[in-house]
Amino acid sequence: NGLACELIYDHYCDSKTCGLIHEDHFHGMKTYAYSVGPIAALTPVTNPTSTAIAKCLIMAKTRNAAIFLPHPRASKATAEAVRICCEAGERAGAPKGWVQCVKTPSMEESNAIMRSDEIRLILSTGGPGVVKASYTSGKPAIGVGAGNAPVLVDETADLKLACGSIVTGKCFDNGMICAAEQSAVIVKDVYQEFKKLMEDRGVYFIYEHNRELLVEYMRKDGRINPDIVGQSALDIASRAGIKNVPADTLILATEEYRGDIGEEYPLSHEKLSPILSFFQCENFEDGVNLCAKLAKNGGIGHTAGLYTSKNNKLLASEREKQFVHSVPVSRVLVNSPASLTAIGSSFNFDVPPSFTLGVGTMAGSSVSTNVGPSHLINLVTVAERQDHIEWFNLPQRIFFNRGCLEEALRECGKAYSTGERDERVIIISGKTNQKLGYVDRVSRCLRGQGFEVEVFTDVHVDPDMECIRKGVEVCNRFNPDLMVCLGGGSPMDAGKFIRAQYEHPELTLEQAASRFVELRKRTIEFPKLGSKIRRLIAIPTTSGTGSEVSPFTVITDDDGRKYPIASYKLTPDIAICDSTLCDTIPKSLVANAGIDAITHAIESYVSVAQNDFTKMHSLEALELLFGNLRESYFSGSPDARDAVHRGATSAGIAFSNGFLGINHSLAHKVGAKFHLPHGLTNAILLAHVIKYNACTKPTRMGIFPSYSHPMSFERYSEIAEHIGAPSNDPEGLIEMIQSLMIDLNLPLSFKDANVPKDEFIASLDELAENAFDDQCTLANPRYPMVHELKDILINAFDG
């Protein structure tokens, strides 16, 4: 009773359990606590008063009213304890009769109270029958189970400590605590020495006829004899007819065979008295198995003890881990009295004090912890809307202007601040750039600075895992510390993932491309890059992909499926944007890449993740692209090519941080299915996506903290005004786009792009469903339904 009062008060007196209990201004979080409501509290025949006192204290702490349903054999003691607590509470300001106790309990009355509409929770401490009744009442219940705590003493243990602790734990309350030691399992190397120590401490071993007398007296009607519960060792011996027991005996002990565990062996069960069974085991592993078997014999989920080395921390940790993994209990007490430590005491003040010990779902309980005030309150969480942390990610340096290539490479070849410098560089590119002489141009410059250079030009359009494996093989052979990706989107896509696989061969394509719902978070953490290839330099030879500044790559698997991968760790370290590398690209590529960049800028501007930093890059990109793409297409003038090149990079910066939308989701799937250029596919879809997104009353709005209401109509209108469209609204923007497409000789529909109609219609469901699941869909300002995506595709077919 003293422990129940003092420990529970001391542990919980300063904790907040009602009203506002937690407030975090920075994160906008508050938590309020309220009582769960009237509680039906069942108490056991063992510890009838301390359990009642403990429950009354946590009821008072949480402002809960309760009706106690005591065990019939201890009803008077429980009622008196409840009366004392009730009057003390009333003197302190609690409502009159805040806790009450049924004086003459019956099963019928208890069941009626538990099923009453006024009862909100059942807190049940007692035997299996009582706990089962509480869980079948139809009310929320917290029930605990019986204990049968085994303790293992291994050959490394401090035997005097183990002896003193076990005797202390077993003698407390004459063994009535449900967590009390019931069986001692001793490794044979120290068995005799430990037994002698126990005998010296008042443990009396009984054998043969006396053991039979004890077993016979212990059982009554197939269960434990209630007359032994909580009685002293001498009283039990006397009543059992065991003679000549020393007057200083504290505990009666028997030596059991390892096979004597089960229903038919009473000494292997919970005994609720100062009777302790001893088992000898071969070694630690054998002892763990014996403890597991004992715990399963009526004490599953409850408590076990382990006595092992205090000096060899590594060995003790390993043995503790093995014990925890093997013995099915909810609390393991190490080198401590099991009964006293389990309920919370001076042996470890961090154990929450309680006389209601959960046994977990393994034993049919809803809790596995010590029951305290936190189990008797309902919590209300208040969360304020907050714009979470954002960031703007770029390569460390971006070099630009015509003819900057050689000078930029010389800058990149300089030593680091530590005095180290890169020495071996691999160039990732394609056959076209090799034929155009761009690979040689870069190689000459790098060799002129003393670099060893390896060239990998087996990159084709839409790089696949076969390409990645070949690139990694070259890297493993050459051991580069610098990578240069030279080309359009494909060499840069390939280079980014070659680097990742070269440094982390365990990384799979599926892991790298794992989907995620939160735009700024990945489901699977992408590994850190730079352990082998310290820097990746991206040099674009087309004006559109933006890959030179982006954290994205797209890789095709061995079955032909495209996997988009997003991680800011993939962002190139350096970008060199020299438009002289774009002087010879064909007009069709100028058009397709340019309209792709326009789509990047528009989608990032209307994205739910748009911010002040992406906004300025989107608008600047659109001004450069709409103002110069025609001239770049028709005359290929250096100034126009340079402006478009810078516009494409600006658009890349915008979408790398503000993301894209369903235009790209649909383009990814349609382009892959019908082998259309990515930029062209984007162009055909763009007008129809703008019409869809510009709705002021969307079916579902895109989800992002900073996106407070439908804004796409307003944002499209801002774009139209910025680029001088015929009208400052989405229709004016569409007219501007389609006029540009006509001038660039781009088809306005999939039909005009020679996509087979029958095959297109047959693929609609597949295309729409896959587009819905595309990573880009999450940032779209209007969150689409699959059938709405299908409608966009149908409209885009005929134009």
Side-chain angles (χ1 to χ4, degrees):
N1 293 339
L3 280 176
C5 291
E6 182 177 334
L7 292 177
I8 289 176
Y9 173 81
D10 182 66
H11 193 85
Y12 294 116
C13 65
D14 294 325
S15 60
K16 295 182 179 180
T17 53
C18 58
L20 180 62
I21 63 172
H22 175 75
E23 186 169 16
D24 184 345
H25 291 288
F26 185 78
H27 294 102
M29 297 294 295
K30 295 176 184 175
T31 304
Y32 291 85
Y34 297 93
S35 60
V36 296
I39 297 173
L42 284 71
T43 55
V45 66
T46 57
N47 308 305
T49 54
S50 58
T51 301
I53 292 168
K55 287 186 176 181
C56 284
L57 285 172
I58 62 175
M59 303 288 184
K61 184 63 177 171
T62 54
R63 296 185 177 181
N64 278 293
I67 298 177
F68 280 79
L69 306 176
H71 190 283
R73 286 177 57 87
S75 59
K76 290 182 179 180
T78 301
E80 180 62 11
V82 172
R83 181 192 67 78
I84 293 170
C85 290
C86 181
E87 291 178 358
E90 290 172 358
R91 288 194 298 272
K96 187 173 178 61
W98 65 283
V99 284
Q100 301 173 25
C101 183
V102 175
K103 300 289 180 61
T104 54
S106 66
M107 186 61 72
E108 294 76 16
E109 186 175 19
S110 295
N111 285 332
I113 291 173
M114 286 192 291
R115 288 179 166 81
S116 168
D117 291 340
E118 301 299 318
I119 294 298
R120 295 288 182 264
L121 177 71
I122 300 171
L123 182 58
S124 179
T125 308
V130 171
V131 173
K132 183 177 180 181
S134 67
Y135 278 121
T136 57
S137 66
K139 295 295 179 68
I142 298 175
V144 301
N148 187 28
V151 292
L152 172 59
V153 181
D154 74 14
E155 75 283 3
T156 70
D158 181 333
L159 298 185
K160 291 182 179 179
L161 171 72
C163 172
S165 297
I166 292 173
V167 171
T168 299
K170 189 61 175 173
C171 288
F172 178 72
D173 235 359
N174 276 336
M176 283 206 301
I177 297 290
C178 55
E181 297 83 346
Q182 304 298 327
S183 301
V185 179
I186 319 298
V187 172
K188 70 175 183 180
D189 291 348
V190 294
Y191 184 86
Q192 293 302 329
E193 181 183 355
F194 184 73
K195 179 182 176 183
K196 179 66 169 60
L197 287 171
M198 294 291 279
E199 288 175 329
D200 291 344
R201 282 297 309 274
V203 176
Y204 180 67
F205 284 82
I206 57 176
Y207 303 95
E208 299 175 347
H209 178 64
N210 284 341
R211 179 184 178 280
E212 293 175 4
L213 291 174
L214 178 64
V215 170
E216 182 179 351
Y217 179 66
M218 281 177 59
R219 304 294 282 180
K220 184 176 182 181
D221 299 328
R223 61 181 62 185
I224 191 168
N225 183 352
D227 292 336
I228 74 166
V229 175
Q231 302 303 308
S232 70
L234 291 173
D235 284 344
I236 293 172
S238 175
R239 295 178 187 182
I242 302 171
K243 302 185 184 301
N244 301 320
V245 176
D248 61 353
T249 296
L250 301 175
I251 296 170
L252 298 176
T254 65
E255 293 185 286
E256 303 299 307
Y257 294 105
R258 58 184 304 109
D260 295 346
I261 301 173
E263 184 65 34
E264 64 275 27
Y265 300 103
L267 288 166
S268 68
H269 282 272
E270 182 181 39
K271 294 171 270 292
L272 298 175
S273 58
I275 300 173
L276 186 64
S277 303
F278 277 66
F279 291 84
Q280 185 176 152
C281 61
E282 291 294 319
N283 48 42
F284 178 76
E285 289 72 19
D286 185 40
V288 171
N289 293 332
L290 269 176
C291 286
K293 192 174 180 181
L294 285 161
K296 292 174 184 177
N297 186 39
I300 190 167
H302 209 286
T303 302
L306 171 63
Y307 290 88
T308 188
S309 174
K310 295 192 301 176
N311 300 319
N312 190 335
K313 298 296 184 183
L314 181 61
L315 175 66
S317 177
E318 288 300 316
R319 291 199 163 182
E320 175 190 307
K321 185 185 301 183
Q322 185 176 346
F323 193 87
V324 168
H325 288 336
S326 302
V327 183
V329 293
S330 299
R331 47 195 67 75
V332 173
L333 296 321
V334 181
N335 295 328
S336 304
S339 61
L340 288 166
T341 310
I343 63 174
S345 68
S346 58
F347 293 97
N348 191 322
F349 281 125
D350 288 326
V351 177
S354 177
F355 282 73
T356 302
L357 311 185
V359 291
T361 56
M362 66 184 101
S365 175
S366 58
V367 296
S368 60
T369 56
N370 287 8
V371 176
S374 64
H375 297 92
L376 305 185
I377 54 177
N378 288 322
L379 299 178
V380 176
T381 299
V382 179
E384 300 173 7
R385 182 180 184 131
Q386 288 202 320
D387 292 336
H388 53 60
I389 185 172
E390 291 290 329
W391 58 86
F392 193 74
N393 190 78
L394 290 172
Q396 297 169 11
R397 288 189 286 178
I398 301 175
F399 297 97
F400 59 94
N401 280 339
R402 289 181 64 79
C404 70
L405 176 63
E406 282 76 12
E407 187 175 351
L409 286 174
R410 283 192 289 273
E411 280 291 316
C412 297
K414 292 180 179 178
Y416 297 98
S417 59
T418 59
E420 296 178 282
R421 73 183 297 270
D422 300 319
E423 298 177 346
R424 304 168 68 82
V425 58
I426 183 168
I427 299 174
I428 308 292
S429 192
K431 301 296 184 186
T432 300
N433 287 310
Q434 193 170 35
K435 290 177 183 177
L436 291 171
Y438 295 155
V439 174
D440 287 341
R441 180 180 169 184
V442 172
S443 297
R444 283 196 305 272
C445 182
L446 292 169
R447 288 193 175 99
Q449 298 176 62
F451 281 102
E452 291 185 53
V453 179
E454 179 71 29
V455 175
F456 178 74
T457 57
D458 287 346
V459 179
H460 46 74
V461 176
D462 298 331
D464 55 19
M465 283 304 297
E466 180 61 26
C467 165
I468 302 301
R469 285 189 287 269
K470 288 180 180 177
V472 171
E473 184 179 340
V474 174
C475 286
N476 284 328
R477 185 175 65 249
F478 181 66
N479 297 319
D481 47 26
L482 179 67
M483 176 179 283
V484 173
C485 298
L486 175 69
S490 295
M492 284 185 269
D493 280 354
K496 290 174 183 178
F497 202 59
I498 288 171
R499 181 193 193 188
Q501 287 240 301
Y502 169 53
E503 296 188 4
H504 299 278
E506 76 284 355
L507 178 68
T508 66
L509 181 57
E510 291 77 10
Q511 290 172 336
S514 61
R515 294 265 287 111
F516 46 94
V517 175
E518 283 289 337
L519 291 174
R520 295 299 199 189
K521 297 179 181 179
R522 285 183 53 88
T523 306
I524 298 175
E525 181 68 19
F526 201 91
K528 184 178 180 180
L529 301 179
S531 61
K532 295 180 179 178
I533 295 176
R534 289 189 281 197
R535 291 183 298 179
L536 186 150
I537 301 173
I539 307 174
T541 59
T542 63
S543 305
T545 69
S547 187
E548 69 273 11
V549 292
S550 85
F552 307 115
T553 184
V554 180
I555 304 297
T556 304
D557 71 5
D558 292 325
D559 296 322
R561 292 172 297 189
K562 286 189 175 183
Y563 283 81
I565 305 170
S567 170
Y568 282 109
K569 293 172 185 174
L570 290 171
T571 304
D573 300 285
I574 295 169
I576 301 175
C577 303
D578 183 351
S579 62
T580 62
L581 298 171
C582 303
D583 285 347
T584 59
I585 60 176
K587 294 173 70 174
S588 61
L589 184 52
V590 172
N592 287 331
I595 207 75
D596 186 24
I598 286 173
T599 308
H600 292 157
I602 291 175
E603 285 212 286
S604 61
Y605 192 85
V606 300
S607 159
V608 297
Q610 182 232 65
N611 58 65
D612 289 341
F613 298 97
T614 64
K615 181 179 178 179
M616 64 178 72
H617 283 283
S618 297
L619 291 177
E620 178 64 19
L622 289 167
E623 186 174 337
L624 288 169
L625 292 164
F626 273 104
N628 295 277
L629 188 53
R630 282 184 177 86
E631 185 179 345
S632 177
Y633 177 81
F634 285 110
S635 70
S637 73
D639 286 347
R641 289 283 166 100
D642 193 47
V644 169
H645 206 49
R646 284 184 278 114
T649 298
S650 291
I653 291 171
F655 86 80
S656 295
N657 294 277
F659 304 107
L660 299 167
I662 60 171
N663 209 106
H664 270 75
S665 300
L666 291 163
H668 288 153
K669 312 312 171 189
V670 175
K673 181 74 174 179
F674 298 102
H675 308 291
L676 293 175
H678 177 64
L680 173 60
T681 313
N682 269 323
I684 292 172
L685 288 162
L686 190 51
H688 305 283
V689 170
I690 291 173
K691 288 179 183 178
Y692 171 77
N693 279 341
C695 175
T696 56
K697 297 180 180 179
T699 312
R700 291 174 68 188
M701 188 177 79
I703 300 172
F704 202 69
S706 58
Y707 196 71
S708 60
H709 62 279
M711 303 180 194
S712 49
F713 185 95
E714 175 186 340
R715 290 179 175 179
Y716 285 130
S717 299
E718 290 171 358
I719 293 173
E721 181 179 6
H722 187 80
I723 63 175
S727 59
N728 296 335
D729 56 24
E731 287 299 325
L733 176 58
I734 290 171
E735 185 178 343
M736 191 88 162
I737 292 167
Q738 293 188 328
S739 172
L740 178 62
M741 289 176 64
I742 292 170
D743 290 346
L744 299 180
N745 292 312
L746 294 174
L748 299 180
S749 68
F750 290 126
K751 178 181 178 181
D752 293 341
N754 298 317
V755 174
K757 183 173 184 177
D758 290 345
E759 189 178 348
F760 187 85
I761 297 300
S763 304
L764 281 173
D765 289 336
E766 175 191 354
L767 292 171
E769 289 174 10
N770 290 340
F772 178 82
D773 200 42
D774 190 276
Q775 193 66 62
C776 292
T777 299
L778 292 172
N780 200 66
R782 181 177 177 182
Y783 199 78
M785 304 288 103
V786 173
H787 70 84
E788 292 172 337
L789 293 174
K790 190 174 175 181
D791 290 341
I792 294 172
L793 290 171
I794 292 171
N795 292 333
F797 185 84
D798 292 317

